[in-house]
Amino acid sequence: MAPINPQRKMSRGIRCAYFAAVGLVGVVVILVVVFSVLPQFDAMTSQTRENAPARVVVVGGGLAGLSAAVEASRHGAWVTIIEKEKNIGGNSAKATSGINAVGTSAQKAKGIEDSISVYIQDTLKSGDGLSNEDLVNILATNSAAAIDFLESFGLRLTDVVQLGGHSVPRTHRFPPTAEGKPVPVGWTLISTLKKYIEGSLKDTVNVLTLSTFKQLVIKDGRITGIEYIDNNGSVQTVEGAVVLTSGGFANDHTATSLLEKYVPSLASLPTTNGVWATGDIIKATSGANLSLIHMNKVQVHPTGFIEPSQPLAHTKFLAPEAIRGCGAILLNAEGKRFVNELGRRDHVTAKMVEHCKPYKGVEGNPIVAAMLLTQKVIDRFGAPAVGFYRFKGLIEDVGSVAKVAEKLGISVDIIRETLHAYRDAAGRGNDAFGKTVFPLTFEDDDHFFLAYVTPSLHYCMGGLKISTSAQVQQVDAASAKERSLPGLFAAGEVTGGVHGNNRLGGNSLLECVVFGRIAGQHAAHYV
């Protein structure tokens, strides 16, 4: 082995030290550069987000708006939700009966035989031939996917009931919790999607409450954004494709009331809508020649609760149609049935007007029917939910059939005769009013509960006209022909065409999800 050369060893050591020093300096330089650039990088990221080419503005924070925001975000868009109220939710949060769907696992688990074609026919029949068949087809064929979408957030819509105008049970609800607490449909859907947006989508969806839509921004015949008034009263602009989901006008008693304009004969009725349902978007876009359809089709729900202490209150709690779907019946002042309780809403309302009298017989009070329930009906609908109505004084625990007669001021024999006739009809499978579905019957020794209900404004079937891709239609000023307005989409109660002359219970929440998702997807891809 050759001896080690000391000079060579020294040279190698020096070289190693040199390169180590250079390497350390290099690392230090790189770190300095990186940390000096990071703030600029953050600024560029923020700027890129603010100027991202795929931007979508959703006006309205109900179920349609939240569904649109989720889909737009998932399809690559930065989303801004504009909501005029302090909290999101709108009328969607007040929905109580459920959401329709066909071919779901919940239907199959209960052995319910249903089909898309039957659902389509039920909806078209309800609309009296005015519904857009293409939109109804989309609604029905996407119904099971809408339930899958909602259940992907951990929701379980496993309870299924039958509402008026439906051939079979297809309205999905939440069962009570293991502790027996009610799970309100609309509130649960809204709070769950809100939580998802504020958590999983917090980097791509921005929610601006107390912000009021002012007008569309139109450039070269295309929608490029909106102007809105923020919570400080300043006018702001946000760019992007626009999805309008701001609800209807069934509580519009402003100086420019759309109720007075289109349905003056109904404008004085009470309403189940929140104070926000004033049709702001339709008014604010009146100069843009947007196509409107069925504006005079406003649904009156037959069962708004009468609160005994204030029967003239303008806003009513809704007595959910699902209560009748679980077996409750309606009686007039004489203690007689007068209608198929599971008939269409417009039909039940018309029969109430024909057969019922003012509350307590006082002229000027709203007309009412007595809604009769038993403990069996309550257990089927959900005792905890009824507990809330009892707490509010809307449903009274009466007790015996004799007490029911006493409350109504009629002979107990009349009530017994009514209940016996109903039981006989259930045995035959039909009655004189065309009823063929009898969820429950009544026995003389049942424990009874009583409520008074009155027709109330509930839903606007008309609104902005949309295409099958949820694009808003516009009338060309020169040719008077309709076209899809580029960059503008809409979903939910602000639109028209799906329901025609009458909406089936459970179709509104479904419409919000189906067309909200479609609008969000198309808006994102458009941008």
Side-chain angles (χ1 to χ4, degrees):
M1 182 176 179
I4 295 176
N5 185 334
Q7 182 65 39
R8 184 179 176 185
K9 182 177 180 180
M10 184 181 295
S11 299
R12 183 181 298 166
I14 293 173
R15 285 200 305 272
C16 288
Y18 171 77
F19 285 119
V22 171
L24 179 61
V25 171
V27 170
V28 171
V29 171
I30 290 172
L31 288 174
V32 169
V33 170
V34 167
F35 281 105
S36 66
V37 169
L38 272 177
Q40 300 176 39
F41 180 77
D42 284 343
M44 287 189 295
T45 302
S46 175
Q47 185 179 15
T48 301
R49 174 177 173 178
E50 289 302 314
N51 299 312
R55 290 190 60 82
V56 171
V57 186
V58 176
V59 182
L63 185 58
L66 299 187
S67 298
V70 169
E71 287 295 333
S73 174
R74 288 178 173 179
H75 284 253
W78 303 106
V79 183
T80 301
I81 298 175
I82 302 293
E83 168 58 53
K84 73 174 183 177
E85 296 297 311
K86 181 180 180 180
N87 299 304
I88 62 175
N91 279 338
S92 298
K94 294 160 63 73
T96 50
S97 286
I99 177 171
N100 295 330
V102 175
T104 64
S105 58
Q107 271 192 323
K108 294 173 184 175
K110 294 180 179 294
I112 299 169
E113 295 185 6
D114 199 0
S115 70
I116 289 175
S117 61
V118 171
Y119 180 24
I120 289 173
Q121 288 307 309
D122 284 349
T123 302
L124 293 177
K125 181 180 179 181
S126 172
D128 290 331
L130 295 181
S131 302
N132 181 309
E133 293 191 24
D134 292 333
L135 297 181
V136 172
N137 183 64
I138 289 172
L139 182 77
T141 56
N142 287 277
S143 62
I147 297 296
D148 291 341
F149 169 76
L150 295 173
E151 292 193 336
S152 71
F153 301 103
L155 300 166
R156 292 294 176 262
L157 291 146
T158 56
D159 190 20
V160 185
V161 298
Q162 183 169 350
L163 302 187
H166 292 271
S167 298
V168 297
R170 61 169 69 100
T171 306
H172 293 61
R173 297 161 46 82
F174 296 109
T177 66
E179 296 77 27
K181 294 182 179 179
V183 184
V185 178
W187 173 256
T188 303
L189 296 179
I190 290 295
S191 58
T192 300
L193 289 186
K194 178 179 181 243
K195 182 178 179 181
Y196 177 76
I197 286 172
E198 292 177 342
S200 299
L201 301 185
K202 68 181 187 304
D203 293 328
T204 58
V205 179
N206 187 28
V207 181
L208 301 178
T209 55
L210 296 175
S211 299
T212 304
F213 175 89
K214 186 173 186 290
Q215 65 180 0
L216 296 168
V217 177
I218 306 176
K219 295 180 180 179
D220 300 324
R222 297 174 178 270
I223 301 300
T224 61
I226 69 163
E227 287 185 359
Y228 70 95
I229 302 172
D230 66 18
N231 59 354
N232 295 316
S234 301
V235 176
Q236 306 288 347
T237 301
V238 58
E239 296 182 348
V242 176
V243 181
L244 302 175
T245 67
S246 55
F249 54 91
N251 199 356
D252 185 12
H253 297 283
T254 63
T256 56
S257 172
L258 294 177
L259 289 174
E260 292 287 354
K261 180 177 181 179
Y262 291 104
V263 285
S265 62
L266 302 179
S268 61
L269 287 178
T271 182
T272 63
N273 284 235
V275 295
W276 49 79
T278 50
D280 298 356
I281 298 297
I282 290 176
K283 298 175 188 177
T285 58
S286 60
N289 292 328
L290 304 185
S291 299
L292 301 177
I293 185 172
H294 302 160
M295 290 294 289
N296 64 336
K297 306 302 180 186
V298 176
Q299 183 171 70
V300 179
H301 197 293
T303 56
F305 276 120
I306 288 287
E307 189 171 351
S309 64
Q310 45 178 349
L312 295 176
H314 182 71
T315 301
K316 306 294 186 188
F317 281 98
L318 180 67
E321 193 167 333
I323 296 179
R324 284 176 282 132
C326 291
I329 59 174
L330 299 177
L331 307 177
N332 61 19
E334 289 75 42
K336 300 287 188 178
R337 289 182 60 240
F338 56 91
V339 70
N340 170 11
E341 290 86 358
L342 295 182
R344 284 174 26 173
R345 289 174 174 177
D346 55 347
H347 173 73
V348 177
T349 296
K351 290 300 181 181
M352 288 178 69
V353 172
E354 181 181 351
H355 293 280
C356 295
K357 297 178 180 179
Y359 179 63
K360 292 189 175 298
V362 177
E363 195 67 32
N365 276 348
I367 63 165
V368 296
M371 185 168 70
L372 191 63
L373 308 81
T374 63
Q375 189 63 52
K376 291 180 292 186
V377 175
I378 290 173
D379 291 341
R380 186 168 183 173
F381 175 76
V386 173
F388 168 78
Y389 299 131
R390 289 181 58 192
F391 171 76
K392 298 294 292 184
L394 306 173
I395 293 179
E396 183 180 359
D397 184 343
V398 178
S400 68
V401 66
K403 289 292 186 181
V404 172
E406 183 181 325
K407 276 287 180 182
L408 296 179
I410 57 178
S411 167
V412 68
D413 292 336
I414 293 177
I415 295 295
R416 288 197 178 104
E417 180 183 339
T418 296
L419 300 183
H420 294 172
Y422 187 73
R423 191 161 62 241
D424 292 342
R428 295 192 308 270
N430 63 79
D431 68 5
F433 308 110
K435 191 168 189 174
T436 59
V437 176
F438 298 83
L440 292 171
T441 56
F442 301 85
E443 305 295 337
D444 289 357
D445 60 353
D446 278 339
H447 191 105
F448 291 94
F449 298 78
L450 192 65
Y452 290 96
V453 291
T454 189
S456 304
L457 294 174
H458 185 57
Y459 190 88
C460 298
M461 278 80 71
L464 299 172
K465 193 173 183 180
I466 59 171
S467 70
T468 54
S469 57
Q471 286 185 281
V472 176
Q473 304 298 289
Q474 181 190 46
V475 178
D476 182 76
S479 65
K481 294 181 179 180
E482 285 187 340
R483 65 154 188 159
S484 292
L485 182 55
L488 186 61
F489 304 83
E493 194 178 355
V494 75
T495 69
V498 174
H499 309 292
N501 192 50
N502 180 73
R503 178 177 68 78
L504 288 178
N507 268 359
S508 60
L509 292 181
L510 178 63
E511 178 191 22
C512 287
V513 176
V514 169
F515 288 98
R517 295 182 71 198
I518 290 172
Q521 292 169 12
H522 282 275
H525 289 296
Y526 169 81
V527 180

